[in-house]
Amino acid sequence: MNDLGRLEDLPQDYRDELKQHNLVPLWPSLRAVLPPKVPTRQTQATMWAYQDIKPLLLKAGELTPIEKAERRVLVLANPGHGLEKMQASAAMYLGMQLLLPGEWAPSHRHTPNAVRMVVEGEGAYTTVDGEKCPMSRGDLILTPTGLWHEHGHDGHAPVVWLDVLDLPLVYYMEASYHINGERQQVHTGQGDRAYAHGGLLPTPVFERTARPYPMLRYPWHQARAALLAMAADQPDQEAVQLTYVNPETGAHAQNILGFYALMLRPGQTLRLPARSPACVFHVIEGGVDIDVPTQPLKLGEADTCCVPGYTEVTLHNTKLDQSTFIFMADETPLHRKLGVYENRG
Ligand code: GTQ
């Protein structure tokens, strides 16, 4: 590869003149923006242990009343991007949110899409677009772009969940904003009941108001049962994985980020190919060692990590007597829509 000219090679008066006209020479930066063969990634393989987060989150519950926070969240920030950027990867934001009994996080809507993966506690709920979604460990609840959402808690112990948003991308696009609203009227009907049985679609005879997000809550007991049934049905299948989809279209549940549940059989080792999107792993049940080229990550229950794109990942279920269940989020829908998705095998 031939060396390209440097900025310092240019006469100062020429550089000054370029600057005056808001012009920049490409060649000194060409290799930086178009590196050879593999992209430069600021995203570092990073792990956040729940046992580190939880006491600090509970402390935030003492230090900051919900009225002063609206959303009481500690952001899982990737040091590779700089903590102040509050991003886990190029397109993904992760936060651990605490809601205490009796608290209410008021209704708002915003352009970024969000999901919640419930980590701990019972009795909280999120109302999304008028649908009250109870929260239990492992449930996935969508709050897609533009839909009103608010969180309440009728239980007796702290509830914690993991927020996954495409905020860094939408912010980068200069398209991120929110609107505050009134407490929502809850209506009857729950998407997770209507669409509870695979292959069977509710079919109104008279009227069909197409809803872009027909299913807002994916109960963990259903996802877990589906994984166990798949594993039992195909004992030789290497990867027991399912994707959270829109049951009307079969497409990814949301437009930008993809969400999956993965089951590792007892003691199983699973190699995931190097793919262009960055990926987040969160352990719902069990434990997993995650090998990436930089360092091994050891995840126990409720731990979370992020791995950059274009990286081969090997998962090893550390439990020899039980399956491990993992929630994954990645940037696949985004990469596919933009035509930059790659699977390098
Ligand atoms: O619960 O609505 O972690 O608006 C960041 C922004 C959670 C939420 C976050 C949000 C929310």
Side-chain angles (χ1 to χ4, degrees), residues 244-312:
Y244 291 92
V245 299
N246 176 327
E248 288 283 349
T249 64
H252 280 282
Q254 290 190 165
N255 283 324
I256 295 175
L257 301 181
F259 307 100
Y260 318 85
L262 178 73
M263 179 183 136
L264 297 174
R265 299 171 202 265
Q268 184 185 357
T269 297
L270 178 67
R271 188 190 71 88
L272 301 177
R275 289 177 286 206
S276 54
C279 190
V280 164
F281 299 89
H282 172 83
V283 178
I284 297 178
E285 250 181 84
V288 63
D289 284 354
I290 301 187
D291 277 329
V292 287
T294 41
Q295 88 256 42
L297 306 167
K298 293 181 173 301
L299 277 70
E301 222 151 86
D303 293 346
T304 305
C305 77
C306 179
V307 173
Y310 300 87
T311 304
E312 189 176 299

Side-chain angles (χ1 to χ4, degrees), residues 91-92 110-116 128 140-147 149 163-167 170 212-218 243-247 249-260 327 329-337:
M92 291 189 284
H110 41 68
T111 43
N113 297 273
V115 302
R116 338 263 156 214
V128 186
L140 184 74
I141 296 168
L142 309 187
T143 51
T145 179
L147 299 193
H149 55 283
D163 291 318
V164 187
L165 281 78
D166 48 26
L167 177 62
V170 179
Y213 302 100
M215 192 160 162
L216 296 169
R217 174 172 180 256
Y218 297 74
T243 302
Y244 291 92
V245 299
N246 176 327
T249 64
H252 280 282
Q254 290 190 165
N255 283 324
I256 295 175
L257 301 181
F259 307 100
Y260 318 85
F327 167 66
D330 78 2
E331 301 162 333
T332 291
L334 172 68
H335 281 224
R336 286 195 189 279
K337 280 171 184 144

Side-chain angles (χ1 to χ4, degrees), residues 70-75 93-97 105-106 108-110 114-116 126 143 149-151 161-165 167 178:
E70 276 184 31
R71 302 296 191 262
R72 192 189 291 109
V73 176
L74 293 179
V75 178
Y93 157 105
L94 299 174
M96 280 285 180
Q97 184 161 171
H108 72 183
R109 59 196 184 100
H110 41 68
V115 302
R116 338 263 156 214
T126 293
T143 51
H149 55 283
E150 62 197 76
H151 316 301
W161 63 82
L162 177 69
D163 291 318
V164 187
L165 281 78
L167 177 62
H178 89 283

Side-chain angles (χ1 to χ4, degrees), residues 86-93 165-173:
M86 300 200 299
Q87 52 193 114
S89 72
M92 291 189 284
Y93 157 105
L165 281 78
D166 48 26
L167 177 62
L169 176 78
V170 179
Y171 183 79
Y172 180 74
M173 291 163 62

Side-chain angles (χ1 to χ4, degrees), residues 133-189:
C133 301
M135 296 174 128
S136 284
R137 174 68 181 140
D139 291 353
L140 184 74
I141 296 168
L142 309 187
T143 51
T145 179
L147 299 193
W148 294 110
H149 55 283
E150 62 197 76
H151 316 301
H153 191 344
D154 299 334
H156 304 287
V159 167
V160 178
W161 63 82
L162 177 69
D163 291 318
V164 187
L165 281 78
D166 48 26
L167 177 62
L169 176 78
V170 179
Y171 183 79
Y172 180 74
M173 291 163 62
E174 302 187 344
S176 177
Y177 72 96
H178 89 283
I179 296 173
N180 285 331
E182 300 297 313
R183 200 172 199 130
Q184 294 172 74
Q185 292 287 332
V186 173
H187 59 61
T188 56

